[in-house]
Amino acid sequence: MTGCTRVSPGCDNCYMFALYPRLRAMGVTGYATSPEDVHLLPERLSTPLKWKKPRHVFVNSMADLFHQRVPFDFVFETFDVMRKAASERGHVFQVLTKRPGRAVAWWDRYKDRFPEGWPPNIWIGTSVESQKYAPRLTVLERLPAPVRFVSAEPLLERLELAEWLERGALQWVIVGGESGFRARPMDLAWARDLRDQSNRAGVAFFLKQLGGVRNKRGGDKATIDGKFWRQMPVLESLE
């Protein structure tokens, strides 16, 4: 898929809107019109089945699988491929959405097609950039995925997530600052606080980048008090 629409302040400087015109100028399939037009690209669905070595795959980096313009049947087709890719290739898929309510509605309607339950190789998360949007986690919690995660990126203020962390609603916390021309700054104290909340709850913590206008300060620069934080969820069924 390509294309999406903004739903909250975390979308304001989304990289998709910046990259889209460049890809359109290059003639890449799926970028012929506006970035707010959602395009389905079913011909790409089978691609993961061709990758021989197991991978962690971020799904739809230029779209949201649970956008309201995406038919539920297409969501099922996508999940079906991810399910097959687990048994045939060992891939793990990370699905991130800002629309967890629609994800719940889809699952309620299609769960009977998954007699063994939610596929363990499909992790699902939602974005929470500020405390106002933390209730998205309560909605996400209704999905029976073995790994539910929060993407606090871009982190725009201090977050208090203990309520969800301590009751097991989350198995992974990802934190990152905003990057790009209009990047809003992230206070390192906000990231440090989320690390501490995660550690107290025994939840994996991953610091992705510190953000910045000219340099996103990822990789070796993404540290808290000189230490890298790149923890991943570990489940017996995925070991």
Side-chain angles (χ1 to χ4, degrees):
M1 291 171 49
T2 61
C4 198
T5 51
R6 294 178 171 91
V7 293
S8 61
C11 303
D12 288 354
N13 301 320
C14 178
Y15 63 84
M16 188 276 290
F17 290 95
L19 289 175
Y20 201 101
R22 189 185 312 170
L23 295 170
R24 179 172 55 202
M26 293 168 59
V28 179
T29 301
Y31 299 91
T33 58
S34 165
E36 294 188 342
D37 291 337
V38 175
H39 294 280
L40 306 182
L41 303 170
E43 66 274 15
R44 296 184 183 177
L45 279 177
S46 62
T47 300
L49 299 174
K50 302 174 184 177
W51 298 331
K52 296 182 178 180
K53 294 183 179 180
R55 304 185 184 188
H56 274 258
V57 183
F58 182 66
V59 179
N60 284 330
S61 63
M62 299 288 280
D64 187 331
L65 182 60
F66 292 100
H67 193 281
Q68 59 270 24
R69 297 179 196 160
V70 181
F72 276 177
D73 280 348
F74 187 78
V75 176
F76 172 75
E77 290 179 40
T78 305
F79 265 67
D80 198 39
V81 169
M82 292 190 286
R83 176 172 54 179
K84 291 176 182 176
S87 59
E88 297 180 16
R89 294 289 186 256
H91 303 324
V92 173
F93 296 87
Q94 300 166 12
V95 179
L96 178 64
T97 182
K98 285 186 172 67
R99 300 163 173 87
R102 198 158 191 270
V104 170
W106 172 80
W107 177 250
D108 286 346
R109 189 180 303 179
Y110 281 76
K111 60 186 176 183
D112 289 345
R113 301 194 189 186
F114 297 86
E116 297 181 358
W118 186 283
N121 68 310
I122 302 177
W123 302 0
I124 189 161
T126 193
S127 302
V128 176
E129 65 268 38
S130 63
Q131 196 67 35
K132 177 180 178 180
Y133 297 98
R136 287 174 178 166
L137 300 174
T138 302
V139 181
L140 184 75
E141 190 177 2
R142 294 171 58 188
L143 297 171
V147 174
R148 293 182 296 261
F149 64 92
V150 60
S151 176
E153 183 187 15
L155 183 58
L156 302 180
E157 66 179 30
R158 182 186 179 279
L159 292 180
E160 178 54 63
L161 302 183
E163 172 186 346
W164 295 277
L165 291 167
E166 293 174 1
R167 69 170 181 244
L170 297 170
Q171 288 72 46
W172 198 20
V173 174
I174 303 171
V175 171
E178 190 167 51
S179 59
F181 179 66
R182 298 183 178 87
R184 292 160 286 187
M186 179 188 76
D187 190 327
L188 189 59
W190 304 340
R192 185 182 292 113
D193 189 49
L194 279 176
R195 176 205 60 186
D196 294 344
Q197 292 180 47
S198 301
N199 286 348
R200 285 194 295 269
V203 173
F205 177 82
F206 192 105
L207 178 63
K208 186 176 174 183
Q209 63 185 38
L210 302 180
V213 175
R214 296 183 180 277
N215 186 336
K216 66 182 182 180
R217 296 180 293 170
D220 292 343
K221 297 179 182 179
T223 64
I224 296 176
D225 302 328
K227 182 177 179 180
F228 297 112
W229 291 90
R230 298 172 181 170
Q231 298 174 342
M232 300 284 288
V234 177
L235 298 179
E236 290 183 2
S237 60
L238 297 175
E239 290 178 345

